[in-house]
Amino acid sequence: MMEPCDVLGAMTGVFAVVCCWLSAVFPTHLSPVMAASVNMTRQDVLEILIVNSSTYNARIAPDYEQDHATTVDVQIYVLSIDTVNEQSMDYSLHIYLRQRWVDPRLQFMNYSRAVWLELDAKLMSKVWVPDTFFRNEKKGEFHIVTVPNRLMHLYRNGTIYYSMRLSVLLSCHMKLQKYPLDVQKCPILIASYGYTTENIIYRWIDHKPIDYQDNLQLSQYTLVGESLDNCTKTYKETGSFSCVRADFILKRDVGFYIIQVYVPSVLIVILSWVSFWLDIEAIPARISLGVLTVLTMTTQSSGARSSLPRVSYVKAIDVWMATCLFFVFASLLEFAYINVLARRRMPYQCFGTPESMETSPGANGSHHSRTDGDRTEKHRLARQNSQAVRFYGKSGARYCDRMARFVFPLAFVMFNMTYWLIYVFVEFD
Protein backbone atom coordinates (compact mmCIF):
# COMPACT_ATOMS: atom_id res chain seq x y z
CA MET A 1 0.00 0.00 0.00
CA MET A 2 1.43 3.40 -1.05
CA GLU A 3 2.12 6.05 1.50
CA PRO A 4 0.37 9.42 1.14
CA CYS A 5 3.71 11.12 0.43
CA ASP A 6 4.37 8.73 -2.43
CA VAL A 7 0.94 9.35 -3.90
CA LEU A 8 1.47 13.11 -3.69
CA GLY A 9 4.85 12.87 -5.44
CA ALA A 10 3.44 10.73 -8.22
CA MET A 11 0.62 13.21 -8.83
CA THR A 12 3.09 16.10 -8.96
CA GLY A 13 5.17 14.28 -11.56
CA VAL A 14 2.14 13.51 -13.69
CA PHE A 15 1.07 17.14 -13.46
CA ALA A 16 4.48 18.34 -14.64
CA VAL A 17 4.42 15.94 -17.58
CA VAL A 18 0.94 17.11 -18.56
CA CYS A 19 2.06 20.73 -18.38
CA CYS A 20 5.04 20.08 -20.68
CA TRP A 21 2.82 18.19 -23.11
CA LEU A 22 0.27 20.98 -23.18
CA SER A 23 2.99 23.61 -23.75
CA ALA A 24 4.35 21.61 -26.68
CA VAL A 25 1.01 20.86 -28.32
CA PHE A 26 -0.95 23.98 -27.43
CA PRO A 27 1.64 26.74 -26.93
CA THR A 28 -0.75 29.60 -27.60
CA HIS A 29 -3.28 28.32 -25.09
CA LEU A 30 -0.83 27.83 -22.21
CA SER A 31 -1.62 30.08 -19.27
CA PRO A 32 1.11 32.53 -18.18
CA VAL A 33 1.33 31.01 -14.75
CA MET A 34 1.92 27.51 -16.08
CA ALA A 35 4.40 28.64 -18.78
CA ALA A 36 6.38 30.86 -16.42
CA SER A 37 7.14 27.89 -14.30
CA VAL A 38 8.86 26.23 -17.27
CA ASN A 39 12.27 27.63 -18.23
CA MET A 40 12.82 26.03 -21.62
CA THR A 41 16.05 25.87 -23.52
CA ARG A 42 16.48 27.92 -26.69
CA GLN A 43 16.30 24.81 -28.80
CA ASP A 44 12.99 23.80 -27.22
CA VAL A 45 11.56 27.27 -27.85
CA LEU A 46 12.49 27.13 -31.53
CA GLU A 47 11.03 23.64 -31.78
CA ILE A 48 7.75 24.83 -30.31
CA LEU A 49 7.49 28.12 -32.23
CA ILE A 50 8.82 27.25 -35.68
CA VAL A 51 9.93 23.67 -36.33
CA ASN A 52 7.05 21.60 -34.96
CA SER A 53 4.44 24.30 -34.62
CA SER A 54 0.97 23.43 -35.83
CA THR A 55 -0.24 27.03 -35.76
CA TYR A 56 2.60 29.01 -37.40
CA ASN A 57 2.52 29.32 -41.19
CA ALA A 58 5.50 31.00 -42.84
CA ARG A 59 3.48 31.57 -46.02
CA ILE A 60 1.07 33.94 -44.29
CA ALA A 61 1.92 37.53 -43.29
CA PRO A 62 1.87 38.22 -39.52
CA ASP A 63 -1.19 40.49 -39.61
CA TYR A 64 -2.86 38.91 -42.62
CA GLU A 65 -6.13 38.32 -40.74
CA GLN A 66 -6.02 41.66 -38.93
CA ASP A 67 -7.34 45.05 -39.96
CA HIS A 68 -3.91 46.64 -40.16
CA ALA A 69 -0.76 46.14 -42.20
CA THR A 70 2.58 44.84 -40.96
CA THR A 71 5.05 47.68 -40.55
CA VAL A 72 8.55 46.90 -41.81
CA ASP A 73 11.34 49.22 -40.65
CA VAL A 74 14.23 49.44 -43.10
CA GLN A 75 17.86 50.41 -42.66
CA ILE A 76 20.73 50.37 -45.16
CA TYR A 77 24.35 50.04 -44.11
CA VAL A 78 26.55 51.06 -47.04
CA LEU A 79 29.82 49.14 -47.25
CA SER A 80 30.98 50.74 -50.49
CA ILE A 81 29.81 52.66 -53.55
CA ASP A 82 31.90 51.04 -56.22
CA THR A 83 31.18 52.64 -59.59
CA VAL A 84 29.11 55.52 -60.97
CA ASN A 85 28.74 55.21 -64.73
CA GLU A 86 27.52 58.27 -66.65
CA GLN A 87 27.26 56.49 -69.98
CA SER A 88 24.91 53.73 -68.79
CA MET A 89 23.50 55.95 -66.02
CA ASP A 90 23.78 53.50 -63.13
CA TYR A 91 25.81 52.91 -59.99
CA SER A 92 26.75 49.88 -57.90
CA LEU A 93 26.38 49.43 -54.16
CA HIS A 94 27.65 46.93 -51.62
CA ILE A 95 25.27 47.03 -48.66
CA TYR A 96 23.69 45.35 -45.67
CA LEU A 97 19.90 45.47 -46.05
CA ARG A 98 18.38 45.41 -42.57
CA GLN A 99 14.66 44.93 -41.88
CA ARG A 100 12.67 44.75 -38.69
CA TRP A 101 9.04 43.84 -38.08
CA VAL A 102 6.83 42.27 -35.40
CA ASP A 103 5.32 38.81 -35.75
CA PRO A 104 3.02 38.23 -32.74
CA ARG A 105 2.90 34.49 -33.49
CA LEU A 106 6.58 34.15 -32.50
CA GLN A 107 6.45 35.63 -29.00
CA PHE A 108 8.27 33.53 -26.39
CA MET A 109 8.11 35.70 -23.29
CA ASN A 110 6.44 32.82 -21.38
CA TYR A 111 8.85 30.16 -22.58
CA SER A 112 12.33 31.46 -21.88
CA ARG A 113 14.25 34.27 -20.20
CA ALA A 114 16.49 34.72 -23.27
CA VAL A 115 16.54 38.24 -24.73
CA TRP A 116 16.71 36.99 -28.31
CA LEU A 117 17.25 33.85 -30.31
CA GLU A 118 19.68 33.57 -33.20
CA LEU A 119 18.37 31.56 -36.14
CA ASP A 120 20.45 29.46 -38.49
CA ALA A 121 20.30 30.18 -42.22
CA LYS A 122 18.51 26.88 -42.82
CA LEU A 123 15.88 27.72 -40.22
CA MET A 124 15.23 31.17 -41.72
CA SER A 125 13.34 29.58 -44.61
CA LYS A 126 10.65 28.55 -42.12
CA VAL A 127 10.03 32.14 -41.00
CA TRP A 128 7.92 34.65 -42.92
CA VAL A 129 9.96 37.53 -44.40
CA PRO A 130 8.79 40.49 -46.52
CA ASP A 131 9.08 40.18 -50.30
CA THR A 132 11.36 43.21 -50.51
CA PHE A 133 12.89 44.23 -53.84
CA PHE A 134 14.68 47.23 -55.34
CA ARG A 135 12.44 49.02 -57.79
CA ASN A 136 15.31 50.62 -59.75
CA GLU A 137 17.55 47.54 -59.76
CA LYS A 138 19.33 46.48 -62.94
CA LYS A 139 21.30 43.62 -61.47
CA GLY A 140 21.69 42.08 -58.03
CA GLU A 141 23.68 39.41 -56.25
CA PHE A 142 23.42 37.58 -52.92
CA HIS A 143 26.70 36.73 -51.22
CA ILE A 144 26.97 33.02 -50.41
CA VAL A 145 30.69 32.57 -49.66
CA THR A 146 31.29 30.63 -47.53
CA VAL A 147 27.67 30.44 -46.40
CA PRO A 148 24.65 32.58 -47.29
CA ASN A 149 25.35 35.96 -45.73
CA ARG A 150 22.10 36.35 -43.82
CA LEU A 151 21.28 37.05 -40.19
CA MET A 152 18.05 36.74 -38.23
CA HIS A 153 17.31 37.49 -34.57
CA LEU A 154 14.02 36.66 -32.87
CA TYR A 155 13.16 38.78 -29.82
CA ARG A 156 10.88 37.95 -26.87
CA ASN A 157 7.98 40.14 -28.00
CA GLY A 158 7.97 38.67 -31.52
CA THR A 159 10.19 41.32 -33.13
CA ILE A 160 12.28 39.91 -35.99
CA TYR A 161 15.54 41.51 -37.08
CA TYR A 162 16.63 40.36 -40.53
CA SER A 163 19.84 41.37 -42.32
CA MET A 164 21.41 40.29 -45.60
CA ARG A 165 24.50 41.25 -47.59
CA LEU A 166 23.89 42.36 -51.17
CA SER A 167 25.62 43.81 -54.19
CA VAL A 168 23.22 45.70 -56.46
CA LEU A 169 23.47 47.70 -59.67
CA LEU A 170 20.88 50.48 -59.60
CA SER A 171 19.76 52.88 -62.28
CA CYS A 172 20.44 56.57 -61.74
CA HIS A 173 19.05 59.11 -64.18
CA MET A 174 21.69 61.84 -64.22
CA LYS A 175 21.37 65.48 -65.20
CA LEU A 176 24.59 66.38 -66.98
CA GLN A 177 23.99 70.05 -67.86
CA LYS A 178 26.78 71.08 -65.44
CA TYR A 179 29.15 68.17 -66.15
CA PRO A 180 31.88 67.98 -64.84
CA LEU A 181 30.84 70.53 -62.21
CA ASP A 182 27.66 68.66 -61.39
CA VAL A 183 26.02 67.17 -58.29
CA GLN A 184 24.05 63.96 -58.84
CA LYS A 185 21.26 62.37 -56.81
CA CYS A 186 21.27 58.61 -57.20
CA PRO A 187 18.21 56.88 -55.71
CA ILE A 188 17.60 53.53 -54.09
CA LEU A 189 13.94 52.47 -54.02
CA ILE A 190 12.81 49.69 -51.68
CA ALA A 191 9.31 48.28 -52.08
CA SER A 192 7.16 45.18 -51.76
CA TYR A 193 6.61 43.23 -54.95
CA GLY A 194 3.53 41.19 -54.08
CA TYR A 195 1.93 42.73 -50.96
CA THR A 196 -0.12 45.91 -51.23
CA THR A 197 -0.37 48.55 -48.51
CA GLU A 198 -3.14 46.47 -46.93
CA ASN A 199 -0.52 43.94 -45.78
CA ILE A 200 2.90 45.68 -45.72
CA ILE A 201 3.97 49.26 -45.10
CA TYR A 202 7.64 50.21 -45.34
CA ARG A 203 9.23 53.03 -43.39
CA TRP A 204 12.74 54.15 -42.56
CA ILE A 205 14.08 53.27 -39.14
CA ASP A 206 14.24 56.23 -36.76
CA HIS A 207 17.93 56.09 -35.85
CA LYS A 208 20.41 56.27 -38.73
CA PRO A 209 18.25 54.93 -41.56
CA ILE A 210 21.30 55.22 -43.84
CA ASP A 211 24.59 54.31 -42.22
CA TYR A 212 28.06 54.13 -43.75
CA GLN A 213 31.22 52.22 -43.18
CA ASP A 214 34.05 54.25 -41.71
CA ASN A 215 36.40 55.88 -44.22
CA LEU A 216 34.03 55.34 -47.13
CA GLN A 217 35.62 56.84 -50.25
CA LEU A 218 34.66 57.14 -53.91
CA SER A 219 37.06 57.52 -56.81
CA GLN A 220 35.43 60.46 -58.61
CA TYR A 221 32.80 61.70 -56.17
CA THR A 222 32.37 63.04 -52.69
CA LEU A 223 29.38 61.71 -50.76
CA VAL A 224 27.69 64.87 -49.48
CA GLY A 225 24.78 63.15 -47.74
CA GLU A 226 21.40 61.61 -48.42
CA SER A 227 17.73 62.56 -48.51
CA LEU A 228 14.82 60.32 -47.54
CA ASP A 229 11.39 60.19 -49.11
CA ASN A 230 8.32 58.03 -49.61
CA CYS A 231 7.71 56.58 -53.08
CA THR A 232 4.47 54.64 -52.57
CA LYS A 233 2.88 54.12 -55.96
CA THR A 234 -0.60 53.09 -57.04
CA TYR A 235 -1.05 50.90 -60.08
CA LYS A 236 -4.40 50.83 -61.80
CA GLU A 237 -4.50 47.06 -62.20
CA THR A 238 -2.99 45.78 -58.93
CA GLY A 239 -3.36 48.48 -56.29
CA SER A 240 -1.08 50.56 -54.09
CA PHE A 241 2.37 49.29 -53.07
CA SER A 242 4.42 50.74 -50.23
CA CYS A 243 7.86 52.08 -51.06
CA VAL A 244 10.64 54.08 -49.40
CA ARG A 245 13.32 56.04 -51.20
CA ALA A 246 16.79 57.34 -50.37
CA ASP A 247 18.81 59.63 -52.64
CA PHE A 248 22.58 59.60 -52.32
CA ILE A 249 23.91 63.10 -53.03
CA LEU A 250 27.18 62.76 -54.94
CA LYS A 251 29.35 65.76 -55.80
CA ARG A 252 31.82 65.16 -58.58
CA ASP A 253 35.48 65.80 -57.80
CA VAL A 254 36.64 68.28 -60.42
CA GLY A 255 40.36 67.82 -59.74
CA PHE A 256 40.75 65.12 -62.38
CA TYR A 257 39.09 67.30 -65.03
CA ILE A 258 41.13 70.36 -64.07
CA ILE A 259 44.31 68.41 -64.72
CA GLN A 260 43.19 66.39 -67.74
CA VAL A 261 40.83 68.79 -69.55
CA TYR A 262 40.84 72.42 -68.42
CA VAL A 263 44.55 73.10 -67.96
CA PRO A 264 45.62 71.44 -71.27
CA SER A 265 42.92 73.28 -73.22
CA VAL A 266 43.96 76.62 -71.68
CA LEU A 267 47.58 75.94 -72.66
CA ILE A 268 46.54 75.11 -76.22
CA VAL A 269 44.61 78.37 -76.49
CA ILE A 270 47.59 80.33 -75.14
CA LEU A 271 49.86 78.50 -77.58
CA SER A 272 47.71 79.70 -80.48
CA TRP A 273 48.41 83.30 -79.41
CA VAL A 274 52.14 82.83 -80.01
CA SER A 275 51.48 83.49 -83.70
CA PHE A 276 50.67 87.14 -82.84
CA TRP A 277 54.34 87.64 -81.91
CA LEU A 278 55.70 85.98 -85.04
CA ASP A 279 56.58 88.13 -88.01
CA ILE A 280 53.99 88.37 -90.75
CA GLU A 281 56.59 87.06 -93.19
CA ALA A 282 56.89 83.77 -91.24
CA ILE A 283 53.98 82.24 -93.12
CA PRO A 284 54.93 78.52 -92.78
CA ALA A 285 55.46 78.83 -89.02
CA ARG A 286 52.17 80.64 -88.41
CA ILE A 287 50.17 78.26 -90.57
CA SER A 288 51.70 75.20 -88.91
CA LEU A 289 51.04 76.59 -85.44
CA GLY A 290 47.44 77.49 -86.23
CA VAL A 291 46.55 74.17 -87.86
CA LEU A 292 48.30 72.17 -85.13
CA THR A 293 46.42 73.89 -82.30
CA VAL A 294 43.08 73.50 -84.08
CA LEU A 295 43.61 69.77 -84.63
CA THR A 296 44.84 69.27 -81.05
CA MET A 297 41.84 71.08 -79.64
CA THR A 298 39.47 69.01 -81.78
CA THR A 299 41.08 65.74 -80.64
CA GLN A 300 40.94 66.72 -76.98
CA SER A 301 37.31 67.75 -77.28
CA SER A 302 36.37 64.37 -78.76
CA GLY A 303 38.25 62.51 -76.03
CA ALA A 304 36.60 64.48 -73.23
CA ARG A 305 33.12 63.61 -74.49
CA SER A 306 33.76 60.00 -75.47
CA SER A 307 32.67 58.58 -72.09
CA LEU A 308 29.40 60.54 -71.96
CA PRO A 309 25.95 59.54 -73.24
CA ARG A 310 24.62 61.22 -76.36
CA VAL A 311 22.18 63.57 -74.68
CA SER A 312 20.29 66.27 -76.56
CA TYR A 313 21.19 69.20 -74.28
CA VAL A 314 24.40 71.20 -73.98
CA LYS A 315 26.78 70.31 -71.16
CA ALA A 316 29.31 72.53 -69.41
CA ILE A 317 32.17 70.61 -70.97
CA ASP A 318 30.65 71.24 -74.42
CA VAL A 319 30.56 74.99 -73.81
CA TRP A 320 34.17 74.99 -72.64
CA MET A 321 35.52 72.91 -75.51
CA ALA A 322 33.54 74.78 -78.15
CA THR A 323 34.75 78.15 -76.87
CA CYS A 324 38.38 77.04 -76.70
CA LEU A 325 38.11 75.69 -80.24
CA PHE A 326 36.61 79.02 -81.33
CA PHE A 327 39.54 80.98 -79.84
CA VAL A 328 42.07 78.69 -81.51
CA PHE A 329 40.28 78.87 -84.85
CA ALA A 330 39.94 82.66 -84.53
CA SER A 331 43.73 82.90 -84.12
CA LEU A 332 44.14 81.04 -87.40
CA LEU A 333 41.60 83.30 -89.10
CA GLU A 334 43.42 86.35 -87.76
CA PHE A 335 46.57 85.26 -89.56
CA ALA A 336 44.62 84.71 -92.78
CA TYR A 337 43.21 88.22 -92.48
CA ILE A 338 46.53 89.99 -91.87
CA ASN A 339 48.12 87.99 -94.67
CA VAL A 340 45.57 89.40 -97.08
CA LEU A 341 45.92 92.83 -95.48
CA ALA A 342 49.71 92.82 -95.91
CA ARG A 343 49.34 92.24 -99.66
CA ARG A 344 46.65 94.83 -100.13
CA ARG A 345 47.53 98.17 -101.79
CA MET A 346 46.12 101.63 -101.12
CA PRO A 347 42.54 102.05 -102.32
CA TYR A 348 42.01 104.10 -105.49
CA GLN A 349 41.14 107.76 -104.75
CA CYS A 350 38.02 108.59 -106.73
CA PHE A 351 38.46 112.35 -106.51
CA GLY A 352 42.18 112.62 -107.07
CA THR A 353 45.34 112.85 -104.99
CA PRO A 354 47.83 115.62 -104.51
CA GLU A 355 49.83 114.20 -107.42
CA SER A 356 46.82 114.15 -109.71
CA MET A 357 46.05 117.68 -108.74
CA GLU A 358 49.51 118.75 -109.86
CA THR A 359 49.00 117.34 -113.37
CA SER A 360 45.34 118.16 -113.65
CA PRO A 361 44.46 120.05 -116.80
CA GLY A 362 42.22 122.27 -114.72
CA ALA A 363 45.24 124.06 -113.28
CA ASN A 364 45.25 126.65 -116.15
CA GLY A 365 48.69 125.35 -117.29
CA SER A 366 50.59 127.03 -114.51
CA HIS A 367 51.83 125.64 -111.16
CA HIS A 368 52.52 129.08 -109.86
CA SER A 369 48.83 129.99 -109.81
CA ARG A 370 48.04 127.87 -106.71
CA THR A 371 46.79 129.73 -103.74
CA ASP A 372 47.57 129.17 -100.07
CA GLY A 373 44.20 127.41 -99.76
CA ASP A 374 45.32 124.79 -102.29
CA ARG A 375 48.46 124.08 -100.32
CA THR A 376 46.41 123.63 -97.14
CA GLU A 377 44.10 121.16 -98.89
CA LYS A 378 47.13 119.26 -100.17
CA HIS A 379 48.55 118.82 -96.68
CA ARG A 380 45.15 117.68 -95.34
CA LEU A 381 44.82 115.01 -97.99
CA ALA A 382 48.38 113.87 -97.31
CA ARG A 383 47.61 113.40 -93.63
CA GLN A 384 44.50 111.37 -94.49
CA ASN A 385 46.52 109.18 -96.83
CA SER A 386 49.21 108.60 -94.18
CA GLN A 387 46.53 107.52 -91.71
CA ALA A 388 45.02 105.19 -94.32
CA VAL A 389 48.40 103.54 -94.84
CA ARG A 390 48.23 102.48 -91.17
CA PHE A 391 45.36 100.10 -91.95
CA TYR A 392 46.77 98.67 -95.16
CA GLY A 393 49.93 96.86 -96.13
CA LYS A 394 52.46 95.44 -93.74
CA SER A 395 52.12 98.26 -91.24
CA GLY A 396 48.37 97.60 -91.00
CA ALA A 397 49.01 93.88 -90.56
CA ARG A 398 51.46 94.52 -87.76
CA TYR A 399 48.95 96.85 -86.14
CA CYS A 400 46.30 94.09 -86.17
CA ASP A 401 48.78 91.70 -84.57
CA ARG A 402 49.47 94.18 -81.79
CA MET A 403 45.76 94.64 -81.16
CA ALA A 404 45.17 90.84 -81.12
CA ARG A 405 47.81 90.43 -78.40
CA PHE A 406 45.47 92.28 -76.02
CA VAL A 407 42.00 91.54 -77.39
CA PHE A 408 42.27 87.73 -77.42
CA PRO A 409 43.57 87.31 -73.81
CA LEU A 410 41.08 89.85 -72.50
CA ALA A 411 38.15 88.10 -74.19
CA PHE A 412 39.31 84.70 -72.89
CA VAL A 413 39.59 86.00 -69.32
CA MET A 414 36.07 87.44 -69.53
CA PHE A 415 34.76 84.10 -70.82
CA ASN A 416 36.42 82.26 -67.92
CA MET A 417 34.86 84.57 -65.35
CA THR A 418 31.41 84.11 -66.86
CA TYR A 419 31.81 80.34 -67.27
CA TRP A 420 32.94 79.57 -63.72
CA LEU A 421 30.44 81.94 -62.10
CA ILE A 422 27.51 80.40 -63.95
CA TYR A 423 28.39 76.72 -63.67
CA VAL A 424 29.63 76.85 -60.08
CA PHE A 425 27.06 79.09 -58.42
CA VAL A 426 23.92 78.85 -60.60
CA GLU A 427 21.59 75.89 -60.01
CA PHE A 428 20.04 74.29 -63.08
CA ASP A 429 16.61 72.66 -62.96
Side-chain angles (χ1 to χ4, degrees):
M1 186 174 182
M2 296 181 62
E3 295 294 334
C5 294
D6 297 335
V7 174
L8 182 60
M11 293 180 62
T12 303
V14 172
F15 180 75
V17 172
V18 171
C19 289
C20 292
W21 180 82
L22 288 175
S23 64
V25 179
F26 305 102
T28 57
H29 301 288
L30 187 61
S31 65
V33 177
M34 296 171 62
S37 62
V38 181
N39 187 14
M40 297 184 180
T41 63
R42 290 177 172 85
Q43 181 178 351
D44 292 338
V45 174
L46 293 178
E47 290 284 341
I48 293 173
L49 295 178
I50 301 174
V51 180
N52 297 324
S53 176
S54 60
T55 58
Y56 183 78
N57 191 347
R59 295 171 294 179
I60 304 298
D63 301 308
Y64 190 78
E65 299 294 342
Q66 306 299 324
D67 294 332
H68 59 86
T70 300
T71 301
V72 180
D73 295 326
V74 180
Q75 181 190 32
I76 294 177
Y77 185 87
V78 180
L79 297 172
S80 64
I81 301 178
D82 300 322
T83 59
V84 181
N85 194 325
E86 296 85 7
Q87 192 165 12
S88 57
M89 290 199 175
D90 53 35
Y91 71 109
S92 60
L93 281 173
H94 185 195
I95 63 172
Y96 291 145
L97 176 61
R98 297 168 175 172
Q99 303 173 80
R100 186 178 64 189
W101 66 95
V102 178
D103 194 337
R105 301 171 296 177
L106 297 179
Q107 297 179 6
F108 61 92
M109 293 180 293
N110 298 325
Y111 298 146
S112 175
R113 295 191 181 95
V115 179
W116 73 75
L117 302 177
E118 298 179 356
L119 276 65
D120 184 78
K122 298 177 182 178
L123 195 57
M124 295 177 193
S125 60
K126 298 185 178 181
V127 178
W128 179 89
V129 295
D131 59 339
T132 305
F133 84 111
F134 298 96
R135 186 181 290 178
N136 61 327
E137 176 194 353
K138 287 186 174 181
K139 186 179 179 181
E141 178 184 359
F142 290 97
H143 291 265
I144 58 173
V145 180
T146 58
V147 294
N149 296 174
R150 295 187 297 167
L151 175 147
M152 181 177 286
H153 287 172
L154 175 60
Y155 289 84
R156 294 168 57 86
N157 63 346
T159 299
I160 299 176
Y161 179 84
Y162 183 48
S163 174
M164 65 181 72
R165 182 174 168 224
L166 303 171
S167 292
V168 289
L169 181 67
L170 305 174
S171 62
C172 176
H173 182 70
M174 302 180 186
K175 298 179 180 179
L176 301 173
Q177 287 89 344
K178 297 179 67 174
Y179 176 90
L181 306 172
D182 54 334
V183 177
Q184 299 296 339
K185 291 185 177 181
C186 290
I188 178 170
L189 286 72
I190 301 175
S192 172
Y193 190 85
Y195 289 102
T196 63
T197 52
E198 295 181 359
N199 288 288
I200 290 182
I201 293 179
Y202 286 94
R203 68 181 183 184
W204 290 110
I205 199 170
D206 295 331
H207 180 64
K208 289 187 177 180
I210 306 293
D211 200 4
Y212 304 95
Q213 189 176 23
D214 296 337
N215 301 322
L216 178 65
Q217 294 183 349
L218 288 78
S219 58
Q220 297 184 25
Y221 290 86
T222 298
L223 182 59
V224 179
E226 72 282 337
S227 61
L228 306 178
D229 199 2
N230 186 283
C231 54
T232 299
K233 188 174 182 180
T234 301
Y235 298 90
K236 183 177 179 181
E237 297 82 4
T238 54
S240 179
F241 292 84
S242 180
C243 174
V244 289
R245 171 176 179 152
D247 290 295
F248 297 101
I249 303 175
L250 305 174
K251 182 179 180 181
R252 194 184 303 274
D253 293 332
V254 73
F256 170 82
Y257 299 92
I258 292 291
I259 297 174
Q260 298 293 331
V261 176
Y262 287 102
V263 171
S265 58
V266 169
L267 295 179
I268 293 173
V269 172
I270 295 176
L271 180 63
S272 67
W273 299 340
V274 175
S275 64
F276 302 150
W277 274 266
L278 297 179
D279 189 79
I280 58 175
E281 301 292 341
I283 296 178
R286 298 188 69 159
I287 290 180
S288 301
L289 183 61
V291 173
L292 179 64
T293 52
V294 169
L295 294 178
T296 305
M297 199 70 236
T298 304
T299 303
Q300 188 185 25
S301 177
S302 301
R305 294 193 294 261
S306 61
S307 61
L308 296 177
R310 293 181 176 87
V311 294
S312 58
Y313 49 82
V314 178
K315 302 178 287 296
I317 193 70
D318 297 332
V319 175
W320 176 267
M321 287 298 180
T323 306
C324 290
L325 181 61
F326 170 78
F327 272 94
V328 171
F329 188 69
S331 300
L332 183 61
L333 290 181
E334 189 270 348
F335 167 69
Y337 172 73
I338 66 167
N339 185 265
V340 173
L341 192 65
R343 293 183 285 107
R344 185 176 180 182
R345 298 181 179 180
M346 288 289 296
Y348 178 74
Q349 298 289 338
C350 297
F351 300 99
T353 62
E355 291 78 5
S356 64
M357 293 177 62
E358 292 178 359
T359 59
S360 173
N364 296 325
S366 176
H367 295 287
H368 301 284
S369 63
R370 293 178 177 176
T371 63
D372 293 339
D374 294 333
R375 293 190 184 94
T376 302
E377 182 67 16
K378 175 181 177 181
H379 291 307
R380 186 182 67 82
L381 291 175
R383 284 195 302 269
Q384 289 181 354
N385 290 333
S386 63
Q387 293 176 356
V389 172
R390 186 180 183 183
F391 299 101
Y392 295 93
K394 293 183 178 180
S395 60
R398 292 189 178 95
Y399 177 77
C400 289
D401 270 348
R402 289 193 298 268
M403 291 295 296
R405 295 171 189 174
F406 297 97
V407 173
F408 274 72
L410 181 61
F412 193 66
V413 170
M414 293 178 63
F415 161 72
N416 269 269
M417 294 176 60
T418 306
Y419 177 87
W420 293 105
L421 286 175
I422 291 177
Y423 284 105
V424 172
F425 297 104
V426 178
E427 294 294 335
F428 291 5
D429 295 333

